[in-house]
Amino acid sequence: MEKKEQSTGGLHFVGKKDEMIEAKRSFRTLEGRDILIIYHQGGFYAMDSYCYHAGGMLQNGDIEEIDGKLCIICPNHKYKLSLAKGECIYKGTDPREKPPVPRWYSKGVKQRTHMVTETNGEVYVKLSEGTSWIESDFYQGEKGKVERAKA
Ligand code: FES
């Protein structure tokens, strides 16, 4: 359910804490950006709601701990994105190892994450201020929205 947000000093009020906990996943549009806010194992996380790979709706992804990191698994092609940093991790082998042992590797930060804070039973999100391009930015732009609509 989409709610109208209020903003003070870059902090957007996104909901009452108990409601956000009950919902577990909440979709909000803040400053024109579509954000997914997740409550999982006692913590809040916020990230761009469309997967950087091909615009999948992360809202419906499972959450698992992988290699010590809580990750949401995109329902479309199962890419794994860490909730805390938006890092995409994958399992691979190094062919130089004899025998090769499968391990988790990082592709780096691919999904933009945002800061969540709680004050007096209210939850706020501050959008990431990083100016450098992160791949999930594509699906927040006009071109990306057109691409998502085609999928
Ligand atoms: Fe998310 Fe492809 S769209 S893994």
Side-chain angles (χ1 to χ4, degrees), residues 71-88:
C71 294
I72 191 154
I73 302 171
C74 177
N76 283 20
H77 312 103
K78 310 294 178 206
Y79 279 28
K80 295 153 185 66
L81 301 164
S82 76
L83 294 182
K85 292 189 177 162
E87 202 183 351
C88 181

Side-chain angles (χ1 to χ4, degrees), residues 92-103 105:
T93 50
D94 181 345
R96 291 168 300 188
E97 280 183 349
K98 303 280 182 240
V101 180
R103 296 180 209 286
Y105 293 93

Side-chain angles (χ1 to χ4, degrees), residues 8 26 29 45 55 57 69 76 78 81-82 84 86 102 109 112 115 132 136:
T8 24
S26 308
T29 302
Y45 304 87
M57 290 284 285
K69 297 169 185 155
N76 283 20
K78 310 294 178 206
L81 301 164
S82 76
V109 173
R112 191 176 288 279
M115 196 180 82
S132 58
S136 67

